[in-house]
Amino acid sequence: MSDNKLVKTVTDAAVLTGLVAAIGWIARKVVKENFTADPSSNAMNYVKFSAALASSIALKQYLEDQKVLPSSM
């Protein structure tokens, strides 16, 4: 990939956004709740958003460790 920090930041953001969207979609199907509400509207929405973001970061690191995603991404 490129050594450009801006490219790395943008691709990292794109990967994390995709993972958060996928995790939120799966969780919404399992729990049958609305996960797309504004996180600042109440504490539970903030907790759900934070959990989806934390799990996507952990999943990204796991996939990089398992060599599924390139580490430069």
Side-chain angles (χ1 to χ4, degrees), residues 2 12 23 31 34 42 44 47-48 57-60 64 72:
S2 175
D12 281 348
I23 290 169
V31 179
N34 185 11
N42 68 22
M44 196 58 200
V47 169
K48 288 187 272 188
I57 291 170
L59 180 61
K60 181 180 177 285
E64 285 176 348
S72 64

Side-chain angles (χ1 to χ4, degrees), residues 9-71:
T9 303
V10 169
T11 56
D12 281 348
V15 168
L16 287 177
T17 302
L19 291 174
V20 166
I23 290 169
W25 183 82
I26 291 168
R28 184 178 58 219
K29 293 294 182 186
V30 170
V31 179
K32 305 257 194 281
E33 283 189 31
N34 185 11
F35 277 77
T36 58
D38 181 20
S40 64
S41 65
N42 68 22
M44 196 58 200
N45 284 339
Y46 182 75
V47 169
K48 288 187 272 188
F49 176 77
S50 298
L53 186 60
S55 59
S56 70
I57 291 170
L59 180 61
K60 181 180 177 285
Q61 289 174 348
Y62 174 77
L63 291 174
E64 285 176 348
D65 290 345
Q66 296 298 317
K67 307 287 189 235
V68 175
L69 286 176
S71 61

